Amino acid sequence: METKHFLEIMNRGEYVVAGSEAHLAMHVLSDEARKVTAELNNAYHTNEEIRSIFSKLIGKGVDESFVLFPPFNSDCGKNITVGKRVFINSGCCFQDQGGIEIGDDVLIGQQVVIATLNHDLNPEKRGSMIPKHVKIGNKVWIGAHATILAGVTIGDNSVVAAGAVVTKNVPENTVVAGVPAKVIRNIQEV
């Protein structure tokens, strides 16, 4: 299966049956992503080299303002989009098969996990998956060790506290914290 066709299936949120052509394509893309992330994570690279390797991972260029501190892991890479002035700190893990969209001026703390797939709850179908897109708005700050789950949108200017597990959409201009994450305050315009 061609990558373009696979991404169309994933971005439509189609159910992926274990052992199907789309499921097999996941494994091929995961293998490619492991090769690229091994290159990224196992030697020192300048910021320019990191941007080049990350661009290879996601299959498109990134802005010269993009900064990433390795190590970084992804199970696909090809379904990540990043805006301008994005900073991703070390140890992050993006399960991007279902799609991850990151806006401009976003700060992502150490060891953040973004997951875009759920397995079927039926034990007989547990190997099958449901992809759901994650969207991170502009000027968002995600604290260290936070987890963003499938299908979540984080509104512009919001903050996800360190260690939070975000299971539902986050409104614009709010701070969320806890497990599961809940709004703990509004951010006033400065």
Side-chain angles (χ1 to χ4, degrees):
M1 175 179 289
E2 291 185 21
T3 300
K4 181 181 176 187
H5 181 60
F6 169 78
L7 293 176
E8 289 169 352
I9 290 169
M10 301 307 283
N11 290 331
R12 285 192 302 262
E14 291 183 20
Y15 185 83
V16 179
V17 175
S20 67
E21 186 179 6
H23 188 242
L24 297 175
M26 283 181 165
H27 289 280
V28 170
L29 288 172
S30 291
D31 191 49
E32 290 175 16
R34 283 193 309 273
K35 288 176 188 173
V36 176
T37 56
E39 176 186 356
L40 175 67
N41 295 331
N42 291 311
Y44 171 80
H45 299 286
T46 65
N47 288 336
E48 183 178 326
E49 291 168 335
I50 289 170
R51 283 190 296 274
S52 176
I53 296 167
F54 191 81
S55 293
K56 183 165 76 171
L57 174 69
I58 69 172
K60 51 193 162 280
V62 294
D63 191 78
E64 65 183 25
S65 62
F66 175 79
V67 177
L68 169 74
F69 288 179
F72 175 84
N73 287 293
S74 166
D75 70 345
C76 177
K78 299 298 187 257
N79 215 0
I80 298 172
T81 303
V82 295
K84 296 178 180 176
R85 297 169 303 280
V86 170
F87 172 70
I88 300 173
N89 212 328
S90 63
C92 290
C93 184
F94 289 9
Q95 180 199 50
D96 66 290
Q97 305 267 4
I100 297 172
E101 179 184 347
I102 301 170
D104 296 334
D105 302 299
V106 172
L107 304 173
I108 299 177
Q110 291 180 327
Q111 297 182 342
V112 166
V113 172
I114 302 175
T116 65
L117 292 175
N118 282 313
H119 287 275
D120 195 310
L121 290 177
N122 180 338
E124 303 303 317
K125 299 179 181 180
R126 190 68 41 89
S128 297
M129 291 169 270
I130 304 107
K132 291 186 181 176
H133 190 79
V134 168
K135 181 178 180 181
I136 299 168
N138 297 318
K139 299 182 180 176
V140 169
W141 172 21
I142 302 174
H145 298 274
T147 300
I148 314 300
L149 296 182
V152 167
T153 295
I154 300 174
D156 292 345
N157 307 314
S158 291
V159 176
V160 175
V165 177
V166 183
T167 62
K168 295 180 180 174
N169 291 348
V170 175
E172 292 182 351
N173 300 305
T174 59
V175 178
V176 297
V179 180
K182 296 186 185 328
V183 175
I184 60 168
R185 70 179 284 197
N186 290 318
I187 298 172
Q188 298 179 1
E189 294 291 324
V190 181

